Amino acid sequence: MLMDDVIASVDLKPNGSDKPYVINYITGFNKQFSPYLEGYITKDELERWLKWRVFPETRVNADELLAALGLNSYNRWAIVRKTHGVMADDEIWLRFKGETLKHRDVCLRKYLYYPEEQK
């Protein structure tokens, strides 16, 4: 997601393949899962993208962050499921299948994006 716009969809286990399948709905954007508009990606490519959406395992307060998320160990996928891959410095995030969340539900800096709600 980019704010409330769907910019890509990812099927982690498409029929007949063990490779994730990505469809990018926008082009020329530097935060896509893949440089290709549509196709299979490797699990390594997916891991590299996930790494970009979570705090590093070596972060000084990583244990405190994990505890705040209710996690006992560092696992990128578990962190992303809890945080939706939200970062403080951009508007990219993940909405999982079956969810109806909006950007305002997950963003970290509501005062910047939704100041009318801060009154």
Side-chain angles (χ1 to χ4, degrees), residues 8-9 14 17-18 26 34-35 45 58 60-61 67 70 77 79 81 85-86 89-90 92 102 109 111 116:
S9 65
S17 177
D18 63 343
I26 59 173
S34 139
E45 289 173 298
T58 56
V60 172
N61 64 339
W77 185 249
I79 294 168
R81 287 295 298 183
V86 171
D89 60 350
D90 68 20
I92 302 294
K102 299 286 188 184
R109 296 182 177 173
Y111 65 92
E116 70 282 358

Side-chain angles (χ1 to χ4, degrees), residues 1 11 15 25 28 53 89 106 118:
M1 303 291 296
D11 186 346
N15 289 335
Y25 300 113
R53 303 309 308 175
D89 60 350
V106 299
Q118 302 303 306

Side-chain angles (χ1 to χ4, degrees), residues 30-92:
N30 68 342
K31 296 178 181 176
Q32 292 178 188
F33 279 94
S34 139
Y36 307 108
L37 198 55
E38 183 173 351
Y40 292 98
I41 62 172
T42 67
K43 290 181 181 172
D44 287 340
E45 289 173 298
L46 182 60
E47 275 292 318
R48 276 195 300 275
W49 196 88
L50 288 176
K51 183 178 181 180
W52 175 66
R53 303 309 308 175
V54 300
F55 57 88
E57 188 171 10
T58 56
R59 185 169 165 162
V60 172
N61 64 339
D63 288 339
E64 294 167 25
L65 294 171
L66 290 172
L69 294 170
L71 300 173
N72 296 323
S73 62
Y74 190 90
N75 176 297
R76 282 190 193 109
W77 185 249
I79 294 168
V80 166
R81 287 295 298 183
K82 296 267 188 174
T83 65
H84 289 86
V86 171
M87 305 300 281
D89 60 350
D90 68 20
E91 298 81 25
I92 302 294

